[in-house]
């Protein structure tokens, strides 16, 4: 009888001790498999959050926009594809600082993919590392993102959408990359 009481006491004590060790946790993207062994390459729910970080010019229609701001195109195209876009446009006063904040906010919001049109790619190196550490697939829009000074491992964007010939084409190509990643496929580079 005393052995049974001792076992029960140990189990109850362990349960109480473990309950006291719980801390606050936050929801983070679920890493899958990675091309650089730090971020994921897809296989996420279709209704996943897709973060988009753009330059200030993306908020106004440009010469290749067809009268629709790039930020609105991303919102529309990603929503039509079944995703929940989280589009953030940097201010003109401090675009690099705004983008650093936007990248981290999108990651904390649970983005599975992050599309980034960088004002200053080198300024985002630590933030790209932060996104990768959270399991977010990072896709550069236009200019490549840094490959050096990113936490010591040379991490950069997982993919890149080049050729900013028109806003419609950019948003369509980027959405196609996200759809490919969502299916767990590796999109063609370029």
């Amino acid at each position: 009888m005393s052995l049974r009481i001792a076992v029960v006491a140990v189990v109850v004590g362990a349960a109480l001790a473990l309950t006291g060790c719980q801390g606050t946790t936050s929801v983070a993207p679920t890493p899958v498999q990675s091309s650089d062994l730090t971020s994921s390459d897809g296989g996420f729910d279709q209704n996943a959050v897709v973060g988009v970080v753009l330059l200030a010019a993306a908020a106004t229609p440009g010469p290749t926009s067809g009268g629709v701001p790039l930020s609105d195109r991303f919102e529309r195209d990603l929503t039509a594809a079944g995703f929940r876009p989280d589009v953030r446009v940097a201010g003109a006063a401090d675009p690099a600082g705004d983008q650093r904040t936007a990248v981290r906010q999108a990651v904390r919001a649970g983005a599975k993919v992050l599309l980034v049109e960088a004002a200053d790619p080198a300024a985002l190196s630590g933030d790209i590392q932060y996104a990768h550490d959270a399991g977010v697939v990072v896709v550069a829009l236009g200019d490549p993102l840094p490959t050096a000074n990113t936490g010591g491992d040379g991490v950069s964007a997982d993919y890149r959408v080049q050729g900013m010939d028109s806003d419609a084409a950019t948003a369509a190509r980027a959405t196609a990359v996200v759809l490919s990643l969502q299916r767990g496929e590796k999109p063609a580079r370029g």
Side-chain angles (χ1 to χ4, degrees), residues 3-181:
L3 180 61
R4 181 179 284 173
I5 292 173
V7 169
V8 169
V10 168
V11 169
V12 170
L16 289 174
L18 289 174
T19 304
C21 293
Q22 291 179 340
T24 304
T25 59
S26 61
V27 177
T30 304
V32 184
Q33 180 187 354
S34 170
S35 56
D36 61 7
L37 302 179
T38 60
S39 61
S40 79
D41 282 327
F44 45 83
D45 290 337
Q46 186 173 5
N47 65 348
V49 174
V50 175
V52 182
V53 178
L54 300 169
L55 298 172
T60 57
T64 66
S65 70
V68 179
L70 183 58
S71 56
D72 292 350
R73 281 195 188 278
F74 272 109
E75 186 83 33
R76 184 184 65 209
D77 288 6
L78 290 168
T79 299
F83 299 107
R84 292 180 295 143
D86 181 2
V87 180
R88 298 166 188 267
V89 179
D94 182 17
D98 289 350
Q99 286 189 324
R100 290 184 60 146
T101 300
V103 166
R104 290 181 178 266
Q105 289 173 340
V107 170
R108 284 192 295 271
K112 297 291 186 179
V113 176
L114 186 58
L115 306 168
V116 181
E117 178 189 27
D120 179 2
L124 290 176
S125 61
D127 305 290
I128 299 305
Q129 180 68 51
Y130 176 79
H132 279 160
D133 289 347
V136 178
V137 178
V138 179
V139 179
L141 299 174
D143 292 335
L145 293 172
T147 58
N149 301 318
T150 53
D153 64 359
V155 151
S156 67
D158 297 296
Y159 301 98
R160 181 175 171 207
V161 174
Q162 298 181 47
M164 307 289 263
D165 51 341
S166 77
D167 289 353
T170 299
R173 279 195 302 265
T175 301
V177 167
V178 174
L179 283 166
S180 181
L181 290 167

